[in-house]
Amino acid sequence: NNVSAGGGGRGPNPAAVGEAGGPGVSAGPVGGDRALLDPINLEQKTMLTASAIIEASIDPMFCINERGMIMMVNEAAIRSFGYTRKEFISANIQMIVGGGHAKNHDQYIARYLKTGEKRVMGKKRELMARHKSGKEFPIELGLTEILHRGGKVTFTGVVRDLSDQKHDKVELRLKHSLTLSIIEAAFDAMFYINERGIIQMVNEAAVKQFGWSRSEFLGSNISMICGGGRAPNHDNYIKRYLRTGEKRVMGKKRELRARRRDGSEFPIELGLTEVQVRKGEERSFCGFIRDLSKEKEQQKDVMRKQRLMAGILDATFDAMFAINEKGIIQMVNNAAEEQFGWTRDELVGNIISKIVGGGHAERHDGYLARFLRTGEKRVMGKKRELPARRKDGSEFWIELGLTEVRTEEGEERLFTGFLRDLSAIKRRQRLTAGILESSFDPVFAINSKGTITMANNAATKQFGWTKEQFLNQDIAMIVGGGHAVNHSEYIKRYLRTGAKRVMGIR
């Protein structure tokens, strides 16, 4: 039958393939040699090769008729969706349709056949698919229409599972005539070569990615796209594999350098498989190439941001510790090394309790476990003064600000703490207190409500109350001359008007 494999278009296709060897059709190079081949053998070989490539594909593939009935699936579809091949064949494709579209899927096909309106056909689209278990997962779908002689229509779809990552995994693998439209819908560059490294087939993505035309590719050696200084040795790599069967690249994913027509090189991820052929036939290989340029640039951007963040953290004067939910130190800054005396290597990977002072080190794991269990915030999100311990065993006062870092659901919880060394502040406080205590005159400190917050020794001697009796009492307790009852009003008036009747005056 004539089959039109046009990227989803309707109607006659000038690239239609007639019966092999029929009028108007010439047999092109197969296996690298130009020869007149028996039409039946050529067709059988083509279909066997196509089937092998489809079965070797990493991505699930489906072929359905115009009633939505599944005519063909590959092994990847069986693995991804959980059905057997027997359960798939002749069942309606809506069995794998998710996102609430299953019940309407037959109408979508009927509408397209009636109107030709391309809502999905020939495009890449993100949808939800349904596993046999009922679980739904995100996919990217590439859908192509195939027109047969007599007006019969079939549809071929290639599915990419987006569950793990939209920037990951190799995409589509296909072959020749019936599968040409599938190969052309692939997102990544595809090369099909024989055992001598001669390119037999490429897809449109390869043409766009590397800059050579399809005719320039076909019949040329695959080494033309090899970068990283490997081009001169590539034929030997193939020969070694054919001779020894040693799989250095075959069946694996590997990052390499590739070369464009203009000579520029770029990073790629290569997925290479051997296509199974009949015994005695020339061995063939199919490779899919993913351009990692954007991914590598994103990685560089992430690294730049990480270096910037590390630079900012190292520039701060306060010590910083990041710990996980087990209390294990994940990150520290320069100030932490300077303040505590340990090196970064000595701190990272160790328990945070090694810097905890005041006898709390042994109980610190219990504090963390209690917070994880109850969510009770005794320190979290607050500032608190605590004793800390240096490498030499000496302790000093710090102000701790502790927060929980927001992580993705299911990830290990993380906490970040900034520690300010209060040693200098405490020294100034002790100096100030010493000066006040040495004064011959009574000194009182009160707040805006008139409550005593500090009294020195001279005050206790002169007035007869102890410091404990003074603290948190109203200053009116020492006011005489009948002013005690009005003292609170004097303070309020000053705060309201700023009129200095006593303030700054003796």
Side-chain angles (χ1 to χ4, degrees):
N1 291 335
N2 275 345
V3 178
S4 168
R10 308 295 307 276
N13 189 315
V17 180
E19 292 181 358
V25 179
S26 62
V30 176
D33 301 320
R34 295 181 175 275
L36 293 176
L37 301 177
D38 178 73
I40 296 177
N41 287 337
L42 176 60
E43 183 177 1
Q44 288 176 342
K45 181 178 179 181
T46 298
M47 295 307 296
L48 283 170
T49 304
S51 297
I53 293 175
I54 290 171
E55 285 301 311
S57 174
I58 294 173
D59 299 313
M61 293 189 295
F62 295 84
C63 183
I64 65 171
N65 63 20
E66 58 192 17
R67 291 179 289 110
M69 298 303 173
I70 300 170
M71 302 167 61
M72 180 278 293
V73 295
N74 66 350
E75 186 62 28
I78 295 168
R79 289 195 304 268
S80 294
F81 288 88
Y83 295 96
T84 65
R85 199 180 299 266
K86 184 177 180 181
E87 288 173 316
F88 266 133
I89 300 302
S90 297
N92 195 295
I93 192 66
Q94 68 186 19
M95 69 195 294
I96 67 163
V97 177
H101 293 285
K103 60 183 179 181
N104 298 318
H105 194 265
D106 287 346
Q107 282 73 26
Y108 298 159
I109 297 175
R111 180 181 60 212
Y112 172 71
L113 292 172
K114 180 180 178 183
T115 67
E117 182 184 356
K118 296 180 180 180
R119 298 191 179 185
V120 181
M121 196 67 60
K123 303 175 184 177
K124 294 176 184 178
R125 190 165 177 186
E126 291 185 13
L127 301 164
M128 295 301 293
R130 189 171 69 245
H131 188 268
K132 183 179 180 179
S133 65
K135 182 180 179 181
E136 296 197 358
F137 58 100
I139 62 165
E140 187 173 48
L141 172 66
L143 189 60
T144 307
E145 178 186 17
I146 301 172
L147 303 179
H148 301 264
R149 181 184 294 170
K152 185 179 178 181
V153 177
T154 57
F155 303 97
T156 301
V158 181
V159 175
R160 166 178 279 181
D161 186 349
L162 300 181
S163 300
D164 293 331
Q165 227 299 354
K166 293 182 182 178
H167 60 37
D168 249 357
K169 312 307 174 198
V170 212
E171 294 194 78
L172 314 169
R173 304 181 194 250
L174 316 157
K175 170 63 180 144
H176 215 47
S177 183
L178 178 63
T179 61
L180 181 61
S181 58
I182 303 173
I183 292 173
E184 290 304 312
F187 307 121
D188 298 328
M190 188 283 299
F191 289 86
Y192 178 59
I193 66 171
N194 64 16
E195 61 188 27
R196 289 175 286 114
I198 303 302
I199 300 171
Q200 307 294 296
M201 182 187 296
V202 297
N203 66 351
E204 185 62 25
V207 173
K208 292 178 179 177
Q209 220 171 88
F210 287 87
W212 282 282
S213 68
R214 201 178 297 258
S215 59
E216 288 173 319
F217 269 133
L218 298 180
S220 296
N221 195 292
I222 192 67
S223 62
M224 69 193 292
I225 68 164
C226 293
R230 290 185 169 84
N233 299 317
H234 193 267
D235 285 349
N236 291 329
Y237 299 157
I238 298 177
K239 289 176 183 177
R240 182 180 58 212
Y241 170 72
L242 293 172
R243 186 178 68 254
T244 68
E246 182 185 357
K247 295 183 178 180
R248 298 191 177 186
V249 180
M250 197 68 61
K252 304 173 184 178
K253 290 181 182 178
R254 189 169 177 185
E255 291 189 13
L256 301 164
R257 303 287 297 178
R259 187 174 69 240
R260 300 186 183 93
R261 184 177 184 178
D262 63 10
S264 63
E265 294 195 0
F266 63 105
I268 63 164
E269 182 181 54
L270 172 65
L272 187 62
T273 58
E274 181 173 1
V275 178
Q276 297 300 315
V277 294
R278 287 179 176 178
K279 187 177 180 181
E281 290 185 331
E282 192 172 47
R283 294 167 75 174
S284 302
F285 307 92
C286 183
F288 277 80
I289 293 173
R290 167 171 289 175
D291 185 350
L292 296 181
S293 300
K294 289 183 179 179
E295 184 176 322
K296 293 297 182 182
E297 188 56 42
Q298 288 172 352
Q299 289 176 356
K300 288 181 182 178
D301 187 53
V302 169
M303 292 300 294
R304 282 194 293 269
K305 290 177 179 177
Q306 287 178 342
R307 287 194 296 271
L308 175 61
M309 181 184 72
I312 293 171
L313 291 175
D314 280 335
T316 185
F317 297 110
D318 297 327
M320 187 283 299
F321 289 83
I323 66 171
N324 64 14
E325 59 189 29
K326 297 175 184 176
I328 304 300
I329 300 170
Q330 308 294 299
M331 182 190 299
V332 298
N333 65 351
N334 287 340
E337 294 182 276
E338 293 170 4
Q339 276 183 36
F340 287 87
W342 281 285
T343 65
R344 201 175 298 248
D345 289 340
E346 289 174 318
L347 288 169
V348 174
N350 276 294
I351 195 82
I352 191 66
S353 60
K354 71 187 298 178
I355 70 162
V356 177
H360 293 282
E362 294 179 356
R363 296 190 291 272
H364 190 268
D365 287 349
Y367 300 157
L368 185 55
R370 181 182 59 213
F371 171 73
L372 292 171
R373 186 178 67 253
T374 67
E376 182 185 356
K377 296 182 179 180
R378 297 190 178 185
V379 180
M380 197 68 61
K382 304 173 184 177
K383 290 183 179 179
R384 190 169 177 182
E385 292 187 9
L386 300 164
R389 188 173 67 244
R390 298 186 183 94
K391 183 177 182 179
D392 62 10
S394 62
E395 295 196 359
F396 63 107
W397 282 92
I398 61 163
E399 183 180 55
L400 171 65
L402 186 62
T403 59
E404 182 172 2
V405 179
R406 298 179 68 178
T407 56
E408 296 293 330
E409 186 177 351
E411 289 184 335
E412 190 174 46
R413 295 168 73 176
L414 300 173
F415 306 91
T416 301
F418 280 85
L419 289 67
R420 174 164 293 173
D421 186 349
L422 298 181
S423 301
I425 295 173
K426 293 294 183 182
R427 281 195 298 271
R428 287 196 295 271
Q429 288 176 346
R430 288 193 296 271
L431 177 61
T432 302
I435 293 171
L436 292 174
E437 290 300 336
S438 66
S439 173
F440 297 110
D441 298 320
V443 179
F444 292 88
I446 65 172
N447 62 21
S448 59
K449 296 178 181 178
T451 302
I452 300 171
T453 59
M454 187 278 293
N456 67 350
N457 289 333
T460 63
K461 289 178 182 178
Q462 219 170 91
F463 288 89
W465 283 285
T466 65
K467 287 185 180 181
E468 289 75 17
Q469 290 171 325
F470 270 133
L471 294 179
N472 298 318
Q473 299 300 315
D474 196 299
I475 192 66
M477 70 191 291
I478 68 167
V479 177
H483 293 286
V485 293
N486 298 317
H487 195 267
S488 293
E489 295 301 320
Y490 299 159
I491 297 175
K492 291 177 183 177
R493 181 179 60 209
Y494 170 72
L495 292 173
R496 186 176 68 252
T497 67
K500 298 181 179 181
R501 299 189 178 188
V502 180
M503 194 65 62
I505 305 170
R506 290 188 178 184

